Amino acid sequence: MSENTTVRTFRFRLYPTKPQQAALSETLRLTRTLYNAGLEQRREAYRKYGKTLSAYDQQKELAALKEACPEFGSVYAHVLQDVFDRLDKAYKAFFHRVKRGAKQAGFPRFKSAQRWSSFKFKQCWNNSKNDWTTCGRPVDGGRRISIPKIGNVKVKFHRPLEGKPKSLQIVLDCGQWFAVYTCEVPRQTLPATGSAVGVDVGTTWFAITSDGEFVENPRHLERAFKKLRVQQRTMSRRKKGGNRRRKAVQQVAKTYRKIRRQRQDFQHKLAHKLVKEHDLIAHEDLKVSNMVRSNLARRIADVSWSSFFEVLRGKAESAGRVVIAVDPRHTSQMCCKCGHICRGNRVSQSRFVCVQCGHAENADVNAAKNILGRAVPSGVNGEGLPCAVV
Ligand SMILES: [Zn+2]
């Protein structure tokens, strides 16, 4: 990938016929079987011979596997290879967590059917021909896409694909099938705005900016959570193995999906706004703040903040903006005017009055200004716009 491009994903609903559905499900089953067998093989190899197998080692055995178990011949070769790449990633993530000293490193697990919902074609584009391969190529005037070994599956392209398609993932989500394309798109750098902002995250407000903007926690999520609780109660009342139970489980899964989508939507919109308006965005480094404050509400909110920051970084990167994570220690007790740090500065949860210089401000905005000030030390304690640095 060149420096002027970035990666984006595009997700489209698929409408497979009954036989295509069966073939897709069978591919899921076979790839999951392969993943679990591959995991077992790696564990064995390590336990017995102290040997660490690589994806490449395992991919070399695929030909022999197809000979012994002809059913794997019904799955496209790249899809099978990708299973071992995924296993490799799971191992690498595990070792990374161990190295970082995580309390629960979580060894790669065997996948149950519930935890295995996708497979991947790793090459959609033939660079030398500068054309699609047979994987994911739109056919039939864009009404279907070609999926090797499955057929031409009906698709709804609700928006145009952009850039050069790299890979295609087929995903089963709450009983619906989706085609997820990963594309290389040209970076669209936004014009400079000369503005920088500090963002403080909280539990009362989702975010507070150094410009004095308060972003509410998404309310619709709370409504969805209420609905979820009712559905979960219904589910647990119903008899296991029954048809009514199965339907209730599906309802719960659908609500979860809705929550996930709403949260993503909220995060994308907020990130988009920040990236559009500012050249530089500073936020607290959650790795550091976790060591300082660790109450439960914060831990839970942390999950959505870190995924928000990830979205923000992605958007900033493709727009040519800068995102900086700063050490948040004492940002809530420090005066953004004179830099005096004192517990007494915090008169109440929301009010900040400096005991030294008398500067008074909303406590969260003061903290956000400090966050900005740390990202751009040359700025006048977060007050002036430090455009020169950007
Ligand atoms: Zn002060």
Side-chain angles (χ1 to χ4, degrees):
M1 204 171 76
S2 81
E3 256 185 42
N4 297 321
T5 59
T6 180
V7 167
R8 270 177 67 190
T9 57
F10 298 85
R11 183 176 152 120
F12 304 102
R13 176 89 187 269
L14 291 172
Y15 299 89
T17 61
K18 278 271 154 64
Q20 288 171 342
Q21 274 178 41
L24 289 167
S25 300
E26 180 63 2
T27 307
L28 268 191
R29 189 185 71 80
L30 287 169
T31 47
R32 180 168 69 88
T33 307
L34 188 63
Y35 184 92
N36 287 339
L39 177 54
E40 201 168 303
Q41 187 192 25
R42 284 194 181 213
R43 289 164 73 147
E44 258 320 80
Y46 189 77
R47 206 166 32 221
K48 282 195 179 149
Y49 314 107
K51 198 175 163 232
T52 310
L53 292 178
S54 70
Y56 179 69
D57 292 328
Q58 295 187 304
Q59 281 157 355
K60 275 191 302 194
E61 289 187 55
L62 277 173
L65 172 81
K66 278 191 207 170
E67 210 135 289
C69 317
E71 49 180 354
F72 282 96
S74 69
V75 184
Y76 194 68
H78 279 180
V79 171
L80 294 177
Q81 287 172 16
D82 177 69
V83 168
F84 297 125
D85 290 333
R86 263 169 95 169
L87 196 50
D88 237 25
K89 268 189 209 143
Y91 263 78
K92 284 202 179 108
F94 164 70
F95 287 126
H96 180 73
R97 290 191 294 269
V98 170
K99 219 170 123 191
R100 233 181 38 200
K103 273 193 202 107
Q104 285 176 314
F107 194 79
R109 286 199 280 181
F110 290 104
K111 300 285 188 183
S112 64
Q114 282 78 32
R115 289 184 176 276
W116 187 264
S117 54
S118 71
F119 55 89
K120 185 170 155 189
F121 295 87
K122 57 183 176 183
Q123 204 178 9
C124 290
W125 199 255
N126 183 331
N127 278 324
S128 58
K129 286 187 186 158
N130 200 27
D131 191 14
W132 286 88
T133 64
T134 49
C135 309
R137 170 197 281 270
V139 290
D140 195 12
R143 282 188 290 271
R144 286 163 215 281
I145 59 168
S146 139
I147 307 179
K149 304 267 187 185
I150 307 284
N152 292 346
V153 179
K154 206 173 142 194
V155 70
K156 170 127 188 178
F157 280 111
H158 63 280
R159 60 169 169 158
L161 258 181
E162 289 167 35
K164 188 193 278 183
K166 304 292 284 181
S167 66
L168 168 69
Q169 211 178 2
I170 304 296
V171 180
L172 176 64
D173 185 358
C174 299
Q176 298 173 342
W177 293 93
F178 294 89
V180 181
Y181 288 93
T182 301
C183 299
E184 212 178 277
V185 295
R187 207 182 281 274
Q188 289 177 319
T189 43
L190 293 170
T193 61
S195 163
V197 74
V199 179
D200 188 28
V201 286
T203 39
T204 326
W205 297 89
F206 182 81
I208 302 96
T209 72
S210 54
D211 295 343
E213 210 169 313
F214 291 73
V215 181
E216 250 186 302
N217 270 309
R219 295 269 159 243
H220 49 267
L221 281 183
E222 278 169 32
R223 278 201 293 278
F225 277 123
K226 256 181 216 145
K227 188 169 155 198
L228 186 65
R229 278 197 293 279
V230 174
Q231 287 176 338
Q232 277 170 330
R233 269 203 301 276
T234 312
M235 183 179 81
S236 56
R237 271 201 308 270
R238 301 210 164 147
K239 209 170 73 214
K240 276 195 180 155
N243 219 0
R244 276 154 55 80
R245 165 97 171 192
R246 192 177 52 79
K247 279 189 182 143
V249 170
Q250 247 171 18
Q251 282 302 322
V252 168
K254 274 194 177 155
T255 306
Y256 267 121
R257 181 174 66 182
K258 191 171 172 197
I259 291 173
R260 199 178 66 228
R261 283 177 177 168
Q262 286 180 333
R263 180 178 285 139
Q264 278 172 357
D265 183 57
F266 166 77
Q267 293 181 346
H268 276 267
K269 278 183 181 148
L270 179 58
H272 180 76
K273 183 171 185 293
L274 288 169
V275 163
K276 204 176 88 189
E277 292 172 359
H278 308 283
D279 295 340
L280 181 146
I281 301 148
H283 66 74
E284 64 178 87
D285 188 343
L286 290 173
K287 283 199 294 293
V288 182
S289 48
N290 267 346
M291 292 186 294
V292 190
R293 296 171 280 188
S294 62
N295 65 61
L296 191 62
R298 227 197 115 86
R299 287 277 161 179
I300 291 164
D302 241 33
V303 181
S304 56
W305 294 330
S306 63
S307 76
F308 168 66
F309 291 154
E310 215 163 284
V311 171
L312 181 66
R313 267 197 303 277
K315 284 214 191 297
E317 198 193 308
S318 53
R321 305 296 209 211
V322 182
V323 173
I324 300 177
V326 303
D327 185 340
R329 273 173 284 194
H330 307 302
T331 43
S332 59
Q333 294 159 18
M334 188 174 105
C335 170
C336 70
K337 284 268 183 200
C338 72
H340 182 65
I341 298 173
C342 172
R343 248 175 215 285
N345 286 348
R346 194 79 181 255
V347 190
S348 70
Q349 185 62 31
S350 65
R351 193 91 193 117
F352 185 97
V353 181
C354 178
V355 294
Q356 188 155 295
C357 75
H359 172 65
E361 189 156 36
N362 174 285
D364 294 320
V365 176
N366 176 69
K369 285 183 176 172
N370 285 330
I371 286 170
L372 175 59
R374 280 185 195 181
V376 196
S378 63
V380 191
N381 294 325
E383 281 286 297
L385 291 184
C387 338
V389 189
V390 182

